[in-house]
Amino acid sequence: MTETAQRKPAYRRWWFWLLVLGLVYLVTGFGLIPLYLSSALPERLQQHLGWTAGFDEVGFNPFTFSFSVQELSATDPEGERVLAVEELQLNLGLIDLIRGTIHVEHLELDNPFLRVDLLEGNRLNLIEDWRNQQQATDDGDGDEDAEQPVPYHVVLDEALINGGRLRFRDFTDGANGRSREIVIESLGLTLSDVTSREREEQEPGEYTVQAVMGEQVLDWSGTLNLVPLWSNGRLSLSNVSAETLQQWLGHHLPWSLQDGRLSLSTAFQFAYDDQGAALATRNGQVTARRLALADPDTPEETLASAGHLTLDSVAFNLEGPELVVSMIQGEELHLNAVMDQEGQLNLTRPLQVMSGDEDDGGRAGSGFRWSVGNLAISNSTVDWRDNRPDSPVELTLQELELNLGAMTEQLEEPISYQLRTALAGGGSASANGQFTLHPLTFEGGVNLDQVVLAPFNGYMQQGSQLQINDGTLNLAGNIDIDVQDDPLTGTFSGRGSISHFNGQFPDEDEPVVVWRELRLDPIEYNFAPARLEIGSVTVSEPELSVINYRDRPHNVTRLLQPVVPDNGVAADGEAAADGTDAPDAGLIFRLGQLELANAEIRYTDYVSQPAFSGRVHDLEASVSNLSNITPQEGQFNLRATVSDSGELQADGTIATLGTDNPSRLSVTMDGLSMPVLNPYFAFYLGYRVDGGKLSSDGNYTLRGTRLESDTTLTLDRLELGEAVQSDSSVTAPVKLGLTLLRDDDNRVTLDLPVNGDLADPEFDLGPVMMRTFRSVLVKTAMSPFSLLGSVVDLAGFSPDELGEVAFLPGETTLVMGEYTKMETVAEALKAREGLVLAIRGRALESVDLPALEAGLAEDETLQEGALEGLAEQRGQTLRRLLTDEYDVPAEQIFLRAHRVEPGEDEADQVAIEFQLEAR
């Protein structure tokens, strides 16, 4: 019988135990390990971070040694969510894990969420939670000898984040109770080769981060080391909105960001240890487009904007801190600068608010170091509005180009500059030199070319009522200013000119001041003490229109009077005065030479009706050595033509300006055609002028505003024309006065002393002289015989005695001695052919009647009409005596109707009065 072979029991076979081992591995891997992880994972997060975690499902594949977690979520000790993952996949290295190292071969998170908080002191919440939990664990263990847990090291080969979401909050401004937050969506992260061990020779890990926040894009890559924590790399942010910038940087900026996009890229180095955080950047670039800034208090008004702004080679070091910018370039910048009525500039108001909140003693810095290598601005504009004048000034600088040299926080270091711009109203300006910010100093060359003056009318009206219609300014020179609290010091030296100037008062139809060119060369001005020295002033073809109104002073007085606002208060806050402001007593002024070439002065006087108009033209004048420093005395010389006929000359000296020392002028005029003066003659005398020439010779002395003059007028062959109606004319026989004043050459010579105060609005030299002339004529006409002494020898008779002749009672015979008087009158008539002697025969009943009756016979009676006949015969007797005996032309003798008067007292003679008249 064959022996049956026995089989070994299955449990004694190797494959049995291999199968058992596999089943145990499968049960452990697919069942026990996930069960363990379900409790261990929350426990570890609680133990090391203090977080409370939860999830839906945990999986483990023992074949690939990979873990998966679904819907993981964790909250910090305050109960706020800090971590969430839709799905987590983790592959670990088993052998390294056995050796005590957590080796993550692959980690992938889908749609994760992480909250990162930057706490006060630049601390991160993730690291603080780890430290706090470790500290709490150490404090809770009372047994110092207790066995300490063996720390695990972590090695990460690869980590991926898909569609992540990061919530970043900044609590560094917690003192003011403010926090800022930003949420990064669509976050993608790649991390490789990271370990918690200290590396000696191995290369650090690498990472890349990409995220999109609307139009804002983040691109971040570099190397990373965990122990110690440091990272080098490059960060790029594109199209960051003004809203985001305002949220995170607004509390550091004086202005509010209203619009624009900012992009930046920089290389960086970051480290974190027990001493805190360290950060340094280099090779950075910042670009801003369509940037707009506003005052935080008035965000609706844009203060500044930039079409394109670039900062090149930017470096920052948190230690210091220090900021270095190699170049700042700006294009299409626009500033909207407004000065309010109190002198506050809208651009600097936010800066003053910040300096008031954080006073650093007036020095920029407070430990912050900065430097800018160069600043270049091009194709930019500045809108300027100054509301201080009653009529605000609006200017626009366009095509502005500005270059500034190196700048640092050392504000006392000089900064070079170059500036060029064009004014929208016309003209251009340029400057170059250097300045300092603290103390504020400015020096360099300034050039204004063809700057149109009309836009500056608001500034002009602060000192004059003149309105500029036309004119361009040219100015070239060097300026050196040191801005101190009080006083401002500095100098200006250069030359300037104003061309094609045209200015008028708004209520007048014609310009009041016009010139072709005004040149000042050289100009030397010192701010403190104030000193202005001008070598020469040359004015070509100036024209001045002077108007004397009936109801107000000359218009030229308004040239030095500011425009009075509707409230009657001048721009400086004081009530506007009627006169001109006194010059600053502290100003030292010197003028070497003033030249007027081909000048013209037009004068219109509305006091007379019709108005008088005349002009002084072809005027050439020179003034030298003017000054307000005694005992300086200037020289004056003038040559001109008056109203196309008269030749005017003036010479003299000008006293020290601002003193009461006398200025003396000698003025002569020859050959002025007198019909030009028709309005004055018609208004003051009631006659027009048909012909004649006027000459004058006067000496004028001016002390302050007080004028003393002694003028001799010569009227050559003056012929009065027709009489005209005038309310201001006189009823006296003007023609008689002129006839009596004429000399043998048919000239009238008058001495007219005129004194007055030029500051008196009622004083006007022309009308005053005309009124004085009228008074002389009236006086002469009212007492005509008083002037005969200048014509003939009066033979011992008084003017009153020559005005009448006496007859014997009842006769036509003159009283003894009266024939000599008649001969004197005859000589005067023959010397003045324009005179007419009017004779009225006269008889007095009380004197002549008794005489006539005494001569009658006893039986004879007096014929009827005897007295009338006697009166008539006496007139005829005088006429025949003058014409026949003394050869007076008959046309100079007129007989008026004789007259018989009763008489009052007895007398031994009868007087017949003469009346002198003009033909």
Side-chain angles (χ1 to χ4, degrees):
M1 174 176 175
T2 305
E3 185 177 8
T4 303
Q6 280 188 321
R7 292 183 176 182
K8 293 181 179 180
Y11 65 88
R12 297 182 64 180
R13 297 182 180 274
W14 62 270
W15 53 265
F16 173 81
W17 294 107
L18 182 62
L19 180 61
V20 171
L21 182 61
L23 290 175
V24 172
Y25 183 78
L26 291 176
V27 171
T28 303
F30 286 105
L32 296 180
I33 290 180
L35 184 63
Y36 169 76
L37 291 177
S38 298
S39 61
L41 184 60
E43 179 181 346
R44 292 296 183 268
L45 289 175
Q46 177 66 42
Q47 176 183 356
H48 296 291
L49 294 173
W51 295 353
T52 301
F55 45 84
D56 288 348
E57 180 181 349
V58 176
F60 177 73
N61 188 334
F63 297 109
T64 60
F65 215 74
S66 62
F67 297 84
S68 65
V69 180
Q70 305 292 328
E71 303 298 336
L72 173 64
S73 177
T75 59
D76 61 13
E78 286 75 27
E80 189 173 0
R81 189 174 69 158
V82 66
L83 176 67
V85 180
E86 184 176 310
E87 181 179 4
L88 182 150
Q89 295 181 1
L90 175 65
N91 293 345
L92 296 176
L94 177 60
I95 298 177
D96 288 331
L97 184 63
I98 296 174
R99 295 175 177 174
T101 298
I102 301 176
H103 183 185
V104 180
E105 296 177 346
H106 178 80
L107 173 64
E108 185 171 355
L109 301 105
D110 292 334
N111 299 322
F113 165 79
L114 178 66
R115 192 193 83 237
V116 179
D117 294 341
L118 182 63
L119 308 176
E120 293 184 21
N122 295 319
R123 297 173 293 114
L124 293 175
N125 64 324
L126 304 179
I127 297 177
E128 288 301 306
D129 288 348
W130 177 282
R131 288 183 173 180
N132 292 338
Q133 193 62 25
Q134 295 302 313
Q135 183 67 32
T137 302
D138 295 342
D139 293 342
D141 189 357
D143 188 1
E144 297 181 359
D145 297 331
E147 184 178 353
Q148 298 297 324
V150 177
Y152 284 94
H153 295 288
V154 177
V155 176
L156 175 63
D157 290 343
E158 182 184 41
L160 299 175
I161 295 179
N162 302 314
R165 183 168 176 263
L166 175 66
R167 182 184 182 189
F168 180 78
R169 300 187 302 182
D170 184 1
F171 293 94
T172 56
D173 197 23
N176 293 324
R178 295 180 295 186
S179 63
R180 294 174 297 279
E181 178 178 315
I182 187 173
V183 177
I184 300 176
E185 306 282 355
S186 302
L187 176 65
L189 169 67
T190 300
L191 182 63
S192 62
D193 234 0
V194 178
T195 178
S196 62
R197 296 179 182 271
E198 289 192 28
R199 297 176 182 265
E200 294 181 359
E201 296 181 358
Q202 293 181 340
E203 294 293 329
E206 297 180 352
Y207 65 90
T208 60
V209 179
Q210 293 180 335
V212 177
M213 299 161 283
E215 297 181 0
Q216 304 171 112
V217 178
L218 169 67
D219 191 350
W220 186 6
S221 62
T223 59
L224 175 65
N225 191 82
L226 293 181
V227 181
L229 179 59
W230 59 266
S231 174
N232 297 338
R234 189 161 190 87
L235 174 67
S236 175
L237 283 172
S238 302
N239 291 323
V240 181
S241 66
E243 180 181 1
T244 302
L245 293 172
Q246 181 64 28
Q247 180 181 5
W248 289 92
L249 302 176
H251 66 293
H252 296 297
L253 298 175
W255 302 284
S256 173
L257 291 168
Q258 296 298 306
D259 193 11
R261 293 281 176 174
L262 184 141
S263 299
L264 67 88
S265 64
T266 182
F268 69 90
Q269 293 178 325
F270 174 78
Y272 186 86
D273 55 21
D274 294 338
Q275 303 299 320
L279 173 66
T281 69
R282 68 184 186 281
N283 298 330
Q285 184 179 62
V286 180
T287 302
R289 294 178 290 108
R290 301 185 302 276
L291 193 64
L293 303 178
D295 189 324
D297 293 338
T298 56
E300 69 281 358
E301 299 180 4
T302 301
L303 296 180
S305 62
H308 189 81
L309 185 65
T310 301
L311 284 71
D312 289 327
S313 300
V314 181
F316 176 76
N317 194 332
L318 186 61
E319 183 180 359
E322 181 179 11
L323 174 66
V324 177
V325 181
S326 176
M327 167 71 79
I328 299 177
Q329 292 179 304
E331 296 181 3
E332 299 180 4
L333 272 65
H334 177 255
L335 292 181
N336 183 27
V338 178
M339 183 77 74
D340 63 22
Q341 293 182 342
E342 288 71 35
Q344 174 69 59
L345 184 62
N346 63 335
L347 298 175
T348 60
R349 194 202 66 81
L351 291 173
Q352 294 175 350
V353 171
M354 289 194 69
S355 64
D357 295 339
E358 300 178 2
D359 186 9
D360 60 1
R363 300 277 302 200
S366 300
F368 179 70
R369 293 182 297 167
W370 60 270
S371 65
V372 176
N374 182 261
L375 183 147
I377 295 174
S378 62
N379 195 24
S380 299
T381 60
V382 176
D383 286 332
W384 168 259
R385 179 181 175 90
D386 192 343
N387 290 318
R388 291 175 298 176
D390 186 52
S391 297
V393 175
E394 294 185 354
L395 303 172
T396 298
L397 305 181
Q398 56 190 17
E399 301 176 10
L400 187 146
E401 296 184 5
L402 174 65
N403 285 277
L404 298 181
M407 297 171 281
T408 71
E409 79 283 353
Q410 303 296 325
L411 302 184
E412 67 276 6
E413 293 295 326
I415 303 170
S416 63
Y417 68 90
Q418 289 183 337
L419 171 68
R420 290 187 300 273
T421 185
L423 282 76
S428 62
S430 62
N432 64 85
Q434 64 181 22
F435 67 94
T436 61
L437 294 174
H438 185 84
L440 182 58
T441 64
F442 180 91
E443 63 179 77
V446 178
N447 185 73
L448 303 179
D449 184 28
Q450 298 295 315
V451 175
V452 176
L453 294 175
F456 297 87
N457 267 316
Y459 294 133
M460 168 68 76
Q461 292 170 3
Q462 290 182 302
S464 173
Q465 297 181 27
L466 187 69
Q467 175 178 292
I468 302 175
N469 295 331
D470 196 6
T472 57
L473 170 67
N474 291 278
L475 181 69
N478 296 311
I479 190 168
D480 186 349
I481 298 177
D482 187 359
V483 179
Q484 306 292 337
D485 292 338
D486 188 25
L488 172 70
T489 61
T491 60
F492 171 81
S493 61
R495 62 183 184 275
S497 67
I498 299 177
S499 303
H500 305 291
F501 184 85
N502 183 307
Q504 74 178 79
F505 298 123
D507 55 351
E508 294 184 1
D509 297 330
E510 298 296 330
V512 62
V513 179
V514 175
W515 65 71
R516 185 173 64 86
E517 186 174 33
L518 181 150
R519 287 184 174 275
L520 301 93
D521 187 15
I523 306 171
E524 299 287 342
Y525 183 73
N526 189 78
F527 290 92
R531 185 184 74 254
L532 174 62
E533 297 186 8
I534 303 176
S536 66
V537 177
T538 304
V539 189
S540 301
E541 301 179 17
E543 298 179 13
L544 176 65
S545 178
V546 182
I547 300 177
N548 186 31
Y549 295 99
R550 294 177 62 89
D551 54 353
R552 59 182 188 271
H554 283 91
N555 63 335
V556 292
T557 61
R558 301 165 60 188
L559 290 174
L560 299 178
Q561 292 178 354
V563 173
V564 181
D566 296 336
N567 59 8
V569 178
D572 58 0
E574 299 179 357
D578 293 335
T580 60
D581 294 335
D584 185 0
L587 174 66
I588 299 174
F589 173 75
R590 291 188 178 94
L591 172 61
Q593 187 78 19
L594 169 64
E595 297 283 347
L596 300 181
N598 197 18
E600 179 173 336
I601 301 175
R602 295 185 297 274
Y603 181 75
T604 303
D605 190 353
Y606 287 110
V607 173
S608 62
Q609 296 296 326
F612 167 79
S613 294
R615 66 192 187 110
V616 178
H617 53 95
D618 297 328
L619 188 152
E620 305 286 334
S622 66
V623 180
S624 59
N625 301 323
L626 282 183
S627 178
N628 62 351
I629 303 299
T630 57
Q632 186 72 49
E633 186 176 71
Q635 305 297 319
F636 174 79
N637 178 273
L638 180 146
R639 300 291 183 271
T641 301
V642 181
S643 296
D644 298 306
S645 56
E647 296 299 325
L648 178 66
Q649 297 185 13
D651 300 279
T653 61
I654 301 177
T656 303
L657 301 179
T659 69
D660 291 334
N661 296 337
S663 297
R664 294 182 174 87
L665 300 179
S666 175
V667 182
T668 61
M669 183 180 63
D670 184 52
L672 176 65
S673 178
M674 295 197 66
V676 174
L677 303 176
N678 258 323
Y680 278 145
F681 274 78
F683 182 71
Y684 290 103
L685 302 182
Y687 288 92
R688 295 180 60 84
V689 179
D690 279 348
K693 293 183 177 181
L694 173 66
S695 298
S696 68
D697 187 355
N699 295 307
Y700 299 84
T701 301
L702 184 65
R703 289 180 171 87
T705 60
R706 186 70 184 175
L707 176 66
E708 299 175 1
S709 69
D710 185 6
T711 303
T712 299
L713 297 181
T714 302
L715 289 68
D716 188 8
R717 300 184 182 277
L718 172 62
E719 298 178 11
L720 295 182
E722 62 180 344
V724 294
Q725 183 64 34
S726 173
D727 295 338
S728 298
S729 63
V730 296
T731 57
V734 173
K735 286 189 174 182
L736 173 61
L738 286 174
T739 303
L740 292 171
L741 291 172
R742 295 180 193 273
D743 59 16
D744 294 338
D745 296 323
N746 198 11
R747 294 175 179 168
V748 176
T749 302
L750 298 173
D751 292 327
L752 300 180
V754 176
N755 301 322
D757 191 345
L758 297 180
D760 183 358
E762 301 297 326
F763 180 79
D764 186 15
L765 185 59
V768 167
M769 295 184 68
M770 200 66 200
R771 288 193 293 267
T772 304
F773 175 49
R774 179 180 63 180
S775 298
V776 173
L777 291 180
V778 171
K779 182 179 179 181
T780 301
M782 298 305 294
S783 181
F785 290 97
S786 64
L787 265 294
L788 293 182
S790 62
V791 178
V792 296
D793 183 7
L794 298 184
F797 296 104
S798 67
D800 292 338
E801 291 175 335
L802 289 176
E804 63 182 20
V805 66
F807 283 87
L808 293 174
E811 300 181 15
T812 58
T813 303
L814 294 173
V815 175
M816 184 179 295
E818 296 294 90
Y819 289 96
T820 304
K821 183 186 302 185
M822 289 299 296
E823 183 179 3
T824 301
V825 172
E827 293 297 328
L829 291 174
K830 290 188 290 182
R832 293 290 184 268
E833 297 179 357
L835 288 177
V836 173
L837 184 66
I839 303 173
R840 185 189 298 277
R842 180 172 180 252
L844 292 179
E845 186 175 338
S846 61
V847 177
D848 289 320
L849 185 57
L852 290 175
E853 291 176 345
L856 296 176
E858 292 183 1
D859 57 349
E860 200 174 9
T861 61
L862 190 64
Q863 295 180 359
E864 184 178 356
L867 289 176
E868 285 79 0
L870 177 61
E872 182 180 5
Q873 291 176 11
R874 285 174 173 170
Q876 292 290 349
T877 299
L878 294 176
R879 184 184 65 80
R880 286 192 299 270
L881 180 63
L882 290 172
T883 57
D884 297 343
E885 295 293 332
Y886 301 126
D887 298 325
V888 177
E891 59 269 20
Q892 287 186 265
I893 308 298
F894 283 86
L895 291 180
R896 292 183 175 176
H898 57 273
R899 182 181 298 167
V900 177
E901 299 174 359
E904 298 178 357
D905 300 325
E906 293 185 2
D908 57 357
Q909 58 186 19
V910 176
I912 293 180
E913 295 182 353
F914 296 145
Q915 286 189 346
L916 281 175
E917 298 178 358
R919 288 191 180 185

